C-alpha cells in the first residue's frame, strides 16, 4: 500500500520537501542508483556538484546501451559512443530519476496531493524518513520517497498507479556525500567525442524573446499547468517540432507537436509501459504525441484535447 494506516499528516512535512529540493540542488555527492520499471532494470553512476554558482551532473550508464549525460544547470550534452553521436541543447527537464526538481512547486503539490509522513526506513545503509504523496483524485499517480535524515537527499522514490500498485522504483545502492565540491576532473566527460556527429536538440526556449506556443490543451485536465515550451529539432527527421511540458507539481506530461507528410500517418495507437503511458494521434497534418507518468486516462485526455490556437 502507498501509505500505512498509521501514517500521520504533519504541517512540517511540506517544509521537509522544500528543504529536500534545496538539498538535492546544492549537495555534492556521487553514487550508483537503480531504476526499475516492470522487468526493465537500469543502473547509472551519478556525480552531482554545486560550486555555489552552477549545478553540474554527470550520469554514466552501467547497464544497457553505453551513454553519458553531462548537465551544466539546464544545458545538457548526451553522448552515445557506440553511435558516435552527441546531442546538445537546453533541456530543463533533464534530471536523474531521483531528483528534487519535480517537488519544487509546493502550491501545486498541496492542491493535488495529500502529503503525509509515513515512518522510517534505511536505503544504501542510511537512515531515512518516508514521505507519501497521495493523489486527491484519479488524474495522477501516488509517490513515496525516503529522505536521508542527515542530509535531506532522496534515497528512494517509488511510483504507485491508480490501484495503489508499485510500478516504478528508483533508489541509490551506494552514496557518498561531500562537504566541498569535487574537482572538475571528477565530473568531466570520460568520452573522447571530438569527431562524433553533433546534433542540436532545440531551437529556442520559451521566454521574453521566444515564439509563443501555437497549440494548447483545451480543456486542460484538472490540476495540471504548462511548465515550459520549447522548439526542438527531431534528430532523425530534422523536422522542427514543439515540446510542451505540463505538471501537476510532481508528475510531468510531455506533448510533442510535429508536422508530418502524408506517408507518415500510421493509425493512432496507445502503448502503456507500467508508469509511463504514450498516445499518438494526427490532426490536420500534425502528429501529436503525448508521453507522461500519469494514468492512461489522463494521457488520453491530453492527446484528445490538443488543438491549434486560433490564428495559427
Amino acid at each position: 500500500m502507498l501509505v500505512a494506516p498509521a501514517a500521520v499528516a504533519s504541517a512540517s512535512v511540506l517544509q521537509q520537501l522544500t528543504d529536500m529540493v534545496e538539498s538535492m540542488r546544492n549537495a555534492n555527492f556521487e553514487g550508483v542508483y537503480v531504476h526499475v520499471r516492470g522487468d526493465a532494470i537500469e543502473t547509472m553512476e551519478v556525480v552531482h556538484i554545486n560550486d555555489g554558482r552552477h549545478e553540474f551532473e554527470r550520469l554514466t550508464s552501467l547497464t544497457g546501451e553505453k551513454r553519458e549525460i553531462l548537465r551544466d544547470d539546464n544545458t545538457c550534452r548526451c553522448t552515445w559512443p557506440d553511435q558516435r553521436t552527441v546531442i546538445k541543447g537546453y533541456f530543463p527537464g533533464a534530471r536523474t530519476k531521483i531528483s528534487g526538481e519535480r517537488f519544487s512547486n509546493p502550491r501545486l503539490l498541496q492542491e493535488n496531493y495529500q502529503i503525509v509522513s509515513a515512518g522510517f526506513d534505511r536505503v544504501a545503509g542510511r537512515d531515512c524518513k518516508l514521505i507519501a504523496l497521495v493523489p486527491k483524485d484519479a488524474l495522477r499517480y501516488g509517490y513515496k520517497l525516503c529522505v536521508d535524515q542527515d542530509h535531506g537527499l532522496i534515497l528512494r522514490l517509488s511510483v504507485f498507479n491508480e490501484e495503489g500498485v508499485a510500478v516504478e522504483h528508483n533508489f541509490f545502492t551506494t552514496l557518498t556525500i561531500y562537504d566541498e565540491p569535487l574537482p572538475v576532473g571528477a565530473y568531466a566527460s570520460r568520452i573522447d567525442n571530438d569527431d562524433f556527429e553533433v546534433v542540436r536538440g532545440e531551437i529556442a526556449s520559451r521566454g521574453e524573446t521566444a515564439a509563443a506556443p501555437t497549440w494548447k490543451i483545451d480543456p486542460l485536465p484538472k490540476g495540471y499547468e504548462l511548465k515550459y515550451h520549447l522548439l526542438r529539432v527531431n534528430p532523425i527527421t530534422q523536422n522542427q517540432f514543439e515540446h510542451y511540458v505540463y505538471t501537476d507539481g510532481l508528475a510531468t506530461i510531455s506533448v510533442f507537436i510535429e508536422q508530418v507528410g502524408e506517408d507518415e500517418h500510421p493509425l493512432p495507437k496507445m502503448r502503456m509501459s507500467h508508469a509511463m503511458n504514450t498516445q499518438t494521434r494526427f490532426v490536420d497534418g500534425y502528429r501529436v504525441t503525448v508521453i507522461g507518468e500519469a494514468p492512461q486516462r489522463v494521457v488520453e485526455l491530453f492527446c484528445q484535447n490538443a488543438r491549434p490556437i486560433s490564428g495559427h
Side-chain angles (χ1 to χ4, degrees):
M1 296 295 291
L2 179 58
V3 183
V8 178
S10 170
S12 66
V13 177
L14 188 62
Q15 184 60 50
Q16 291 175 17
L17 284 180
T18 301
D19 294 341
M20 178 269 296
V21 172
E22 289 301 309
S23 295
M24 293 298 295
R25 181 180 297 123
N26 297 322
N28 299 287
F29 62 86
E30 62 180 334
V32 173
Y33 80 89
V34 177
H35 169 63
V36 181
R37 178 180 290 160
D39 59 356
I41 302 175
E42 179 183 45
T43 305
M44 303 286 289
E45 177 191 67
V46 57
V47 179
H48 182 274
I49 304 297
N50 192 314
D51 65 1
R53 297 178 303 162
H54 299 284
E55 187 180 4
F56 303 94
E57 194 169 64
R58 186 188 67 215
L59 304 174
T60 307
S61 65
L62 301 180
T63 57
E65 184 179 14
K66 295 178 181 178
R67 60 204 180 282
E68 177 188 78
I69 301 172
L70 295 180
R71 181 168 67 86
D72 180 349
D73 293 327
N74 287 325
T75 301
C76 285
R77 184 177 73 184
C78 308
T79 304
W80 286 266
D82 292 342
Q83 302 178 29
R84 304 184 69 81
T85 301
V86 179
I87 295 181
K88 296 181 178 181
Y90 174 76
F91 297 97
R95 296 290 191 275
T96 59
K97 295 293 182 180
I98 296 180
S99 169
E101 183 70 20
R102 61 171 71 190
F103 299 91
S104 59
N105 192 327
R107 175 184 60 82
L108 280 179
L109 287 177
Q110 288 181 293
E111 288 180 4
N112 297 310
Y113 298 89
Q114 179 186 5
I115 306 171
V116 297
S117 178
F120 302 89
D121 204 345
R122 291 180 73 244
V123 176
R126 308 181 70 89
D127 294 329
C128 53
K129 297 173 288 188
L130 291 170
I131 299 176
L133 294 99
V134 184
K136 293 183 178 180
D137 54 35
L139 298 178
R140 57 208 92 247
Y141 287 149
Y143 298 79
K144 182 186 284 186
L145 57 156
C146 212
V147 180
D148 185 277
Q149 291 199 82
D150 295 326
H151 295 86
L153 302 182
I154 303 175
L155 301 182
R156 185 178 66 221
L157 172 64
S158 299
V159 184
F160 297 78
N161 66 15
E162 57 268 48
E163 297 177 352
V165 177
V167 292
E168 181 177 309
H169 298 286
N170 307 276
F171 55 93
F172 279 100
T173 58
T174 65
L175 179 65
T176 303
I177 302 171
Y178 301 97
D179 293 331
E180 299 292 335
L182 293 170
V184 174
Y187 56 88
S189 175
R190 294 174 174 173
I191 301 173
D192 180 5
N193 54 24
D194 290 341
D195 59 345
F196 286 11
E197 178 185 4
V198 178
V199 178
R200 296 297 303 181
E202 95 293 337
I203 298 174
S205 62
R206 184 182 183 188
E208 294 181 356
T209 61
T214 62
W215 285 66
K216 63 180 178 180
I217 308 299
D218 186 23
L220 189 63
K222 179 184 176 182
Y224 289 89
E225 63 181 37
L226 183 63
K227 185 176 183 180
Y228 61 81
H229 163 254
L230 298 173
L231 298 178
R232 298 193 185 279
V233 173
N234 187 319
I236 298 176
T237 65
Q238 298 303 308
N239 292 337
Q240 178 179 329
F241 66 92
E242 293 186 67
H243 180 194
Y244 299 79
V245 175
Y246 294 84
T247 184
D248 67 349
L250 184 50
T252 57
I253 306 288
S254 285
V255 180
F256 304 93
I257 309 293
E258 182 176 1
Q259 191 168 13
V260 294
E262 294 183 358
D263 59 344
E264 299 179 81
H265 281 220
L267 293 174
K269 58 184 178 180
M270 165 68 79
R271 179 175 60 83
M272 185 172 111
S273 177
H274 304 286
M276 197 68 66
N277 288 320
T278 302
Q279 183 163 346
T280 301
R281 71 187 262 261
F282 295 87
V283 183
D284 299 329
Y286 287 85
R287 178 169 52 217
V288 179
T289 303
V290 180
I291 303 175
E293 189 179 75
Q296 175 178 332
R297 170 171 168 254
V298 176
V299 172
E300 183 177 354
L301 286 172
F302 269 90
C303 198
Q304 291 179 345
N305 296 346
R307 61 199 67 201
I309 297 175
S310 178
H312 292 276

Short mmCIF file of all heavy atoms in Angstrom, two decimals, residues 49-101:
data_model
loop_
_atom_site.label_atom_id
_atom_site.label_comp_id
_atom_site.label_asym_id
_atom_site.label_seq_id
_atom_site.Cartn_x
_atom_site.Cartn_y
_atom_site.Cartn_z
N ILE A 49 27.48 18.01 -8.52
CA ILE A 49 28.31 19.06 -7.92
C ILE A 49 27.58 20.40 -7.98
O ILE A 49 26.93 20.72 -8.98
CB ILE A 49 29.66 19.21 -8.68
CG1 ILE A 49 30.40 17.87 -8.72
CG2 ILE A 49 30.51 20.30 -8.06
CD1 ILE A 49 30.80 17.34 -7.38
N ASN A 50 27.69 21.18 -6.92
CA ASN A 50 27.24 22.56 -6.93
C ASN A 50 28.37 23.41 -6.35
O ASN A 50 28.73 23.26 -5.18
CB ASN A 50 25.96 22.75 -6.11
CG ASN A 50 25.32 24.10 -6.35
OD1 ASN A 50 25.98 25.13 -6.35
ND2 ASN A 50 24.01 24.10 -6.54
N ASP A 51 28.95 24.28 -7.20
CA ASP A 51 30.10 25.07 -6.76
C ASP A 51 29.71 26.44 -6.20
O ASP A 51 30.55 27.30 -6.00
CB ASP A 51 31.10 25.24 -7.91
CG ASP A 51 30.54 26.07 -9.07
OD1 ASP A 51 29.38 26.53 -8.99
OD2 ASP A 51 31.26 26.23 -10.08
N GLY A 52 28.41 26.63 -5.96
CA GLY A 52 27.93 27.90 -5.45
C GLY A 52 27.42 28.82 -6.53
O GLY A 52 26.71 29.79 -6.24
N ARG A 53 27.76 28.54 -7.78
CA ARG A 53 27.28 29.33 -8.92
C ARG A 53 26.51 28.49 -9.91
O ARG A 53 25.51 28.92 -10.47
CB ARG A 53 28.46 30.00 -9.63
CG ARG A 53 29.23 31.02 -8.79
CD ARG A 53 30.39 31.58 -9.59
NE ARG A 53 31.28 30.50 -10.06
CZ ARG A 53 32.16 30.64 -11.03
NH1 ARG A 53 32.27 31.79 -11.67
NH2 ARG A 53 32.94 29.62 -11.37
N HIS A 54 26.98 27.26 -10.14
CA HIS A 54 26.35 26.40 -11.13
C HIS A 54 26.19 24.99 -10.57
O HIS A 54 26.92 24.56 -9.67
CB HIS A 54 27.19 26.34 -12.42
CG HIS A 54 27.36 27.66 -13.09
ND1 HIS A 54 26.36 28.25 -13.83
CD2 HIS A 54 28.42 28.51 -13.13
CE1 HIS A 54 26.80 29.41 -14.30
NE2 HIS A 54 28.03 29.59 -13.88
N GLU A 55 25.22 24.29 -11.16
CA GLU A 55 24.96 22.91 -10.79
C GLU A 55 25.44 22.01 -11.93
O GLU A 55 25.07 22.21 -13.09
CB GLU A 55 23.45 22.72 -10.57
CG GLU A 55 23.06 21.36 -10.03
CD GLU A 55 21.55 21.25 -9.84
OE1 GLU A 55 20.82 22.21 -10.19
OE2 GLU A 55 21.11 20.19 -9.35
N PHE A 56 26.29 21.05 -11.60
CA PHE A 56 26.84 20.13 -12.60
C PHE A 56 26.43 18.70 -12.25
O PHE A 56 26.28 18.35 -11.08
CB PHE A 56 28.37 20.20 -12.63
CG PHE A 56 28.93 21.57 -12.90
CD1 PHE A 56 29.28 22.41 -11.86
CD2 PHE A 56 29.10 22.02 -14.21
CE1 PHE A 56 29.79 23.68 -12.10
CE2 PHE A 56 29.60 23.28 -14.45
CZ PHE A 56 29.95 24.12 -13.40
N GLU A 57 26.30 17.88 -13.29
CA GLU A 57 25.95 16.50 -13.06
C GLU A 57 26.47 15.64 -14.21
O GLU A 57 26.41 16.06 -15.37
CB GLU A 57 24.43 16.35 -12.95
CG GLU A 57 23.96 15.04 -12.40
CD GLU A 57 22.47 15.10 -12.07
OE1 GLU A 57 21.67 15.27 -13.01
OE2 GLU A 57 22.11 14.98 -10.88
N ARG A 58 26.99 14.47 -13.87
CA ARG A 58 27.37 13.51 -14.90
C ARG A 58 26.67 12.18 -14.59
O ARG A 58 26.77 11.66 -13.48
CB ARG A 58 28.88 13.28 -14.95
CG ARG A 58 29.29 12.36 -16.13
CD ARG A 58 30.74 11.97 -16.09
NE ARG A 58 31.02 11.11 -14.95
CZ ARG A 58 32.16 11.15 -14.26
NH1 ARG A 58 33.11 11.99 -14.57
NH2 ARG A 58 32.33 10.33 -13.23
N LEU A 59 25.98 11.66 -15.59
CA LEU A 59 25.33 10.36 -15.49
C LEU A 59 26.00 9.42 -16.47
O LEU A 59 26.17 9.76 -17.65
CB LEU A 59 23.84 10.46 -15.83
CG LEU A 59 23.01 11.47 -15.02
CD1 LEU A 59 21.60 11.56 -15.58
CD2 LEU A 59 22.98 11.04 -13.57
N THR A 60 26.35 8.24 -16.01
CA THR A 60 27.01 7.25 -16.85
C THR A 60 26.28 5.93 -16.72
O THR A 60 26.09 5.43 -15.60
CB THR A 60 28.49 7.06 -16.43
OG1 THR A 60 29.14 8.33 -16.40
CG2 THR A 60 29.20 6.14 -17.41
N SER A 61 25.86 5.36 -17.84
CA SER A 61 25.14 4.09 -17.80
C SER A 61 26.09 2.96 -17.43
O SER A 61 27.21 2.88 -17.92
CB SER A 61 24.48 3.80 -19.15
OG SER A 61 25.46 3.61 -20.16
N LEU A 62 25.64 2.08 -16.57
CA LEU A 62 26.40 0.89 -16.20
C LEU A 62 25.76 -0.37 -16.76
O LEU A 62 26.35 -1.45 -16.68
CB LEU A 62 26.49 0.79 -14.67
CG LEU A 62 27.15 1.97 -13.95
CD1 LEU A 62 27.17 1.73 -12.45
CD2 LEU A 62 28.57 2.21 -14.47
N THR A 63 24.56 -0.23 -17.31
CA THR A 63 23.86 -1.35 -17.94
C THR A 63 23.28 -0.87 -19.27
O THR A 63 23.09 0.32 -19.48
CB THR A 63 22.72 -1.88 -17.05
OG1 THR A 63 21.82 -0.79 -16.76
CG2 THR A 63 23.24 -2.43 -15.74
N GLY A 64 22.97 -1.82 -20.14
CA GLY A 64 22.34 -1.48 -21.41
C GLY A 64 23.27 -0.71 -22.33
O GLY A 64 24.50 -0.81 -22.26
N GLU A 65 22.68 0.10 -23.21
CA GLU A 65 23.45 0.86 -24.18
C GLU A 65 24.36 1.87 -23.48
O GLU A 65 23.95 2.54 -22.53
CB GLU A 65 22.50 1.60 -25.14
CG GLU A 65 23.21 2.34 -26.25
CD GLU A 65 22.24 3.02 -27.20
OE1 GLU A 65 21.04 3.14 -26.84
OE2 GLU A 65 22.66 3.43 -28.28
N LYS A 66 25.58 2.00 -23.96
CA LYS A 66 26.52 2.95 -23.38
C LYS A 66 26.06 4.38 -23.67
O LYS A 66 25.72 4.72 -24.80
CB LYS A 66 27.92 2.75 -23.97
CG LYS A 66 28.56 1.41 -23.61
CD LYS A 66 29.92 1.29 -24.27
CE LYS A 66 30.57 -0.05 -23.95
NZ LYS A 66 31.88 -0.21 -24.62
N ARG A 67 26.04 5.21 -22.64
CA ARG A 67 25.66 6.61 -22.82
C ARG A 67 26.15 7.41 -21.63
O ARG A 67 26.34 6.88 -20.53
CB ARG A 67 24.15 6.77 -23.01
CG ARG A 67 23.32 6.29 -21.86
CD ARG A 67 21.93 5.95 -22.34
NE ARG A 67 21.07 5.48 -21.28
CZ ARG A 67 21.11 4.23 -20.78
NH1 ARG A 67 22.00 3.39 -21.22
NH2 ARG A 67 20.28 3.88 -19.83
N GLU A 68 26.32 8.70 -21.89
CA GLU A 68 26.78 9.62 -20.85
C GLU A 68 26.00 10.92 -21.00
O GLU A 68 25.81 11.42 -22.10
CB GLU A 68 28.28 9.88 -21.00
CG GLU A 68 28.83 10.88 -19.99
CD GLU A 68 30.27 11.26 -20.29
OE1 GLU A 68 30.49 12.08 -21.21
OE2 GLU A 68 31.17 10.72 -19.63
N ILE A 69 25.56 11.46 -19.88
CA ILE A 69 24.84 12.72 -19.87
C ILE A 69 25.59 13.70 -18.97
O ILE A 69 25.82 13.42 -17.80
CB ILE A 69 23.40 12.55 -19.37
CG1 ILE A 69 22.64 11.56 -20.25
CG2 ILE A 69 22.68 13.91 -19.35
CD1 ILE A 69 21.27 11.19 -19.70
N LEU A 70 25.98 14.84 -19.54
CA LEU A 70 26.61 15.90 -18.78
C LEU A 70 25.64 17.07 -18.69
O LEU A 70 25.12 17.52 -19.72
CB LEU A 70 27.91 16.36 -19.43
CG LEU A 70 29.06 15.36 -19.50
CD1 LEU A 70 30.25 16.01 -20.20
CD2 LEU A 70 29.46 14.88 -18.12
N ARG A 71 25.38 17.54 -17.48
CA ARG A 71 24.45 18.66 -17.31
C ARG A 71 25.16 19.80 -16.62
O ARG A 71 25.82 19.62 -15.60
CB ARG A 71 23.24 18.21 -16.49
CG ARG A 71 22.21 19.32 -16.29
CD ARG A 71 20.92 18.76 -15.73
NE ARG A 71 21.09 18.24 -14.38
CZ ARG A 71 20.99 18.97 -13.27
NH1 ARG A 71 20.76 20.27 -13.36
NH2 ARG A 71 21.14 18.42 -12.08
N ASP A 72 25.01 21.01 -17.17
CA ASP A 72 25.50 22.24 -16.58
C ASP A 72 24.29 23.15 -16.43
O ASP A 72 23.83 23.75 -17.40
CB ASP A 72 26.57 22.87 -17.48
CG ASP A 72 27.13 24.17 -16.92
OD1 ASP A 72 26.55 24.68 -15.95
OD2 ASP A 72 28.12 24.68 -17.46
N ASP A 73 23.73 23.20 -15.21
CA ASP A 73 22.43 23.84 -14.99
C ASP A 73 21.40 23.19 -15.90
O ASP A 73 21.15 22.00 -15.77
CB ASP A 73 22.54 25.35 -15.20
CG ASP A 73 23.42 26.01 -14.13
OD1 ASP A 73 23.43 25.52 -12.99
OD2 ASP A 73 24.11 26.99 -14.45
N ASN A 74 20.83 23.92 -16.85
CA ASN A 74 19.80 23.35 -17.72
C ASN A 74 20.31 23.00 -19.12
O ASN A 74 19.52 22.69 -20.01
CB ASN A 74 18.61 24.31 -17.84
CG ASN A 74 17.78 24.35 -16.59
OD1 ASN A 74 17.61 23.34 -15.91
ND2 ASN A 74 17.27 25.52 -16.24
N THR A 75 21.60 23.09 -19.33
CA THR A 75 22.19 22.73 -20.62
C THR A 75 22.77 21.32 -20.51
O THR A 75 23.48 21.01 -19.55
CB THR A 75 23.29 23.72 -21.02
OG1 THR A 75 22.73 25.03 -21.09
CG2 THR A 75 23.87 23.36 -22.37
N CYS A 76 22.47 20.48 -21.50
CA CYS A 76 22.91 19.10 -21.46
C CYS A 76 23.68 18.70 -22.70
O CYS A 76 23.46 19.25 -23.79
CB CYS A 76 21.70 18.16 -21.33
SG CYS A 76 20.97 18.12 -19.69
N ARG A 77 24.55 17.71 -22.51
CA ARG A 77 25.24 17.07 -23.62
C ARG A 77 25.11 15.56 -23.41
O ARG A 77 25.63 15.01 -22.44
CB ARG A 77 26.72 17.45 -23.66
CG ARG A 77 27.44 16.88 -24.88
CD ARG A 77 28.89 17.33 -24.94
NE ARG A 77 29.71 16.67 -23.93
CZ ARG A 77 30.99 16.96 -23.72
NH1 ARG A 77 31.59 17.91 -24.42
NH2 ARG A 77 31.68 16.30 -22.81
N CYS A 78 24.39 14.93 -24.31
CA CYS A 78 24.12 13.49 -24.21
C CYS A 78 24.93 12.77 -25.29
O CYS A 78 24.80 13.10 -26.47
CB CYS A 78 22.63 13.20 -24.41
SG CYS A 78 21.56 14.21 -23.35
N THR A 79 25.75 11.80 -24.89
CA THR A 79 26.66 11.12 -25.81
C THR A 79 26.37 9.63 -25.85
O THR A 79 26.24 8.99 -24.81
CB THR A 79 28.12 11.34 -25.37
OG1 THR A 79 28.38 12.74 -25.29
CG2 THR A 79 29.08 10.71 -26.38
N TRP A 80 26.27 9.10 -27.09
CA TRP A 80 26.13 7.67 -27.33
C TRP A 80 27.39 7.22 -28.08
O TRP A 80 27.47 7.36 -29.30
CB TRP A 80 24.89 7.38 -28.17
CG TRP A 80 23.61 7.53 -27.43
CD1 TRP A 80 22.91 6.56 -26.80
CD2 TRP A 80 22.85 8.74 -27.24
NE1 TRP A 80 21.77 7.06 -26.22
CE2 TRP A 80 21.71 8.40 -26.48
CE3 TRP A 80 23.04 10.07 -27.64
CZ2 TRP A 80 20.77 9.35 -26.11
CZ3 TRP A 80 22.10 11.00 -27.27
CH2 TRP A 80 20.97 10.65 -26.52
N PRO A 81 28.40 6.69 -27.37
CA PRO A 81 29.67 6.35 -28.01
C PRO A 81 29.56 5.30 -29.10
O PRO A 81 30.28 5.37 -30.11
CB PRO A 81 30.55 5.87 -26.85
CG PRO A 81 29.60 5.53 -25.75
CD PRO A 81 28.43 6.44 -25.92
N ASP A 82 28.68 4.30 -28.94
CA ASP A 82 28.54 3.27 -29.97
C ASP A 82 27.98 3.84 -31.26
O ASP A 82 28.27 3.34 -32.36
CB ASP A 82 27.65 2.13 -29.47
CG ASP A 82 28.31 1.33 -28.35
OD1 ASP A 82 29.55 1.45 -28.21
OD2 ASP A 82 27.60 0.61 -27.64
N GLN A 83 27.14 4.88 -31.16
CA GLN A 83 26.57 5.53 -32.33
C GLN A 83 27.39 6.73 -32.78
O GLN A 83 27.08 7.35 -33.79
CB GLN A 83 25.13 5.98 -32.04
CG GLN A 83 24.20 4.86 -31.63
CD GLN A 83 22.81 5.36 -31.29
OE1 GLN A 83 22.34 6.36 -31.82
NE2 GLN A 83 22.12 4.66 -30.40
N ARG A 84 28.40 7.07 -31.98
CA ARG A 84 29.27 8.22 -32.25
C ARG A 84 28.44 9.48 -32.48
O ARG A 84 28.63 10.23 -33.44
CB ARG A 84 30.18 7.93 -33.47
CG ARG A 84 31.02 6.68 -33.31
CD ARG A 84 31.98 6.49 -34.48
NE ARG A 84 33.02 7.51 -34.48
CZ ARG A 84 34.11 7.48 -33.72
NH1 ARG A 84 34.29 6.47 -32.86
NH2 ARG A 84 35.02 8.44 -33.77
N THR A 85 27.51 9.69 -31.57
CA THR A 85 26.56 10.80 -31.69
C THR A 85 26.48 11.57 -30.38
O THR A 85 26.50 10.99 -29.30
CB THR A 85 25.15 10.29 -32.06
OG1 THR A 85 25.22 9.58 -33.30
CG2 THR A 85 24.17 11.45 -32.19
N VAL A 86 26.38 12.91 -30.50
CA VAL A 86 26.21 13.79 -29.35
C VAL A 86 25.01 14.69 -29.62
O VAL A 86 24.88 15.26 -30.70
CB VAL A 86 27.46 14.67 -29.11
CG1 VAL A 86 27.23 15.60 -27.93
CG2 VAL A 86 28.69 13.81 -28.90
N ILE A 87 24.13 14.80 -28.63
CA ILE A 87 23.01 15.75 -28.71
C ILE A 87 23.24 16.82 -27.66
O ILE A 87 23.39 16.51 -26.47
CB ILE A 87 21.66 15.05 -28.51
CG1 ILE A 87 21.39 14.07 -29.64
CG2 ILE A 87 20.54 16.10 -28.44
CD1 ILE A 87 20.06 13.36 -29.53
N LYS A 88 23.26 18.07 -28.08
CA LYS A 88 23.46 19.19 -27.18
C LYS A 88 22.23 20.09 -27.20
O LYS A 88 21.56 20.21 -28.22
CB LYS A 88 24.68 20.02 -27.59
CG LYS A 88 26.02 19.28 -27.51
CD LYS A 88 27.14 20.22 -27.92
CE LYS A 88 28.50 19.52 -27.82
NZ LYS A 88 29.61 20.44 -28.21
N GLY A 89 21.97 20.75 -26.08
CA GLY A 89 20.87 21.69 -26.09
C GLY A 89 20.41 22.09 -24.70
O GLY A 89 21.00 21.69 -23.69
N TYR A 90 19.36 22.90 -24.68
CA TYR A 90 18.75 23.38 -23.45
C TYR A 90 17.63 22.40 -23.08
O TYR A 90 16.62 22.32 -23.77
CB TYR A 90 18.20 24.78 -23.68
CG TYR A 90 17.41 25.35 -22.52
CD1 TYR A 90 18.05 25.84 -21.39
CD2 TYR A 90 16.02 25.42 -22.58
CE1 TYR A 90 17.33 26.37 -20.34
CE2 TYR A 90 15.29 25.95 -21.53
CZ TYR A 90 15.95 26.44 -20.41
OH TYR A 90 15.23 26.96 -19.37
N PHE A 91 17.84 21.62 -22.02
CA PHE A 91 16.88 20.62 -21.61
C PHE A 91 16.58 20.80 -20.12
O PHE A 91 17.19 20.14 -19.27
CB PHE A 91 17.43 19.21 -21.86
CG PHE A 91 17.69 18.91 -23.30
CD1 PHE A 91 18.97 19.04 -23.83
CD2 PHE A 91 16.67 18.50 -24.14
CE1 PHE A 91 19.22 18.76 -25.16
CE2 PHE A 91 16.91 18.21 -25.48
CZ PHE A 91 18.19 18.34 -25.98
N PRO A 92 15.66 21.71 -19.78
CA PRO A 92 15.39 21.99 -18.36
C PRO A 92 14.84 20.80 -17.59
O PRO A 92 14.92 20.76 -16.37
CB PRO A 92 14.39 23.14 -18.42
CG PRO A 92 13.78 23.05 -19.78
CD PRO A 92 14.86 22.54 -20.68
N GLY A 93 14.27 19.82 -18.30
CA GLY A 93 13.71 18.66 -17.61
C GLY A 93 14.67 17.52 -17.44
O GLY A 93 14.32 16.47 -16.89
N ALA A 94 15.91 17.69 -17.88
CA ALA A 94 16.88 16.60 -17.81
C ALA A 94 17.43 16.48 -16.40
O ALA A 94 18.21 17.30 -15.95
CB ALA A 94 18.00 16.84 -18.81
N ARG A 95 16.98 15.47 -15.70
CA ARG A 95 17.43 15.21 -14.34
C ARG A 95 17.53 13.71 -14.14
O ARG A 95 17.02 12.92 -14.91
CB ARG A 95 16.42 15.77 -13.31
CG ARG A 95 16.26 17.28 -13.33
CD ARG A 95 17.51 17.99 -12.82
NE ARG A 95 17.29 19.41 -12.61
CZ ARG A 95 17.39 20.33 -13.54
NH1 ARG A 95 17.71 19.97 -14.77
NH2 ARG A 95 17.20 21.60 -13.27
N THR A 96 18.20 13.31 -13.06
CA THR A 96 18.19 11.91 -12.70
C THR A 96 16.78 11.50 -12.32
O THR A 96 15.93 12.35 -12.02
CB THR A 96 19.11 11.65 -11.50
OG1 THR A 96 18.65 12.44 -10.40
CG2 THR A 96 20.55 12.01 -11.82
N LYS A 97 16.53 10.20 -12.34
CA LYS A 97 15.21 9.72 -11.93
C LYS A 97 14.94 10.10 -10.48
O LYS A 97 13.80 10.32 -10.08
CB LYS A 97 15.13 8.21 -12.11
CG LYS A 97 15.21 7.73 -13.55
CD LYS A 97 14.00 8.16 -14.35
CE LYS A 97 14.08 7.64 -15.76
NZ LYS A 97 12.89 8.04 -16.57
N ILE A 98 16.01 10.13 -9.69
CA ILE A 98 15.88 10.62 -8.32
C ILE A 98 16.32 12.09 -8.33
O ILE A 98 17.49 12.39 -8.40
CB ILE A 98 16.75 9.81 -7.34
CG1 ILE A 98 16.27 8.37 -7.30
CG2 ILE A 98 16.70 10.42 -5.95
CD1 ILE A 98 17.07 7.49 -6.37
N SER A 99 15.35 12.98 -8.31
CA SER A 99 15.66 14.40 -8.40
C SER A 99 14.66 15.18 -7.56
O SER A 99 13.48 14.83 -7.46
CB SER A 99 15.58 14.87 -9.86
OG SER A 99 15.62 16.28 -9.94
N GLY A 100 15.12 16.27 -6.96
CA GLY A 100 14.24 17.12 -6.18
C GLY A 100 13.47 18.11 -7.03
O GLY A 100 12.52 18.74 -6.55
N GLU A 101 13.85 18.25 -8.30
CA GLU A 101 13.25 19.26 -9.16
C GLU A 101 11.74 19.10 -9.27
O GLU A 101 11.00 20.08 -9.29
CB GLU A 101 13.89 19.18 -10.55
CG GLU A 101 13.39 20.23 -11.53
CD GLU A 101 13.86 21.63 -11.18
OE1 GLU A 101 14.84 21.75 -10.42
OE2 GLU A 101 13.24 22.59 -11.67
#
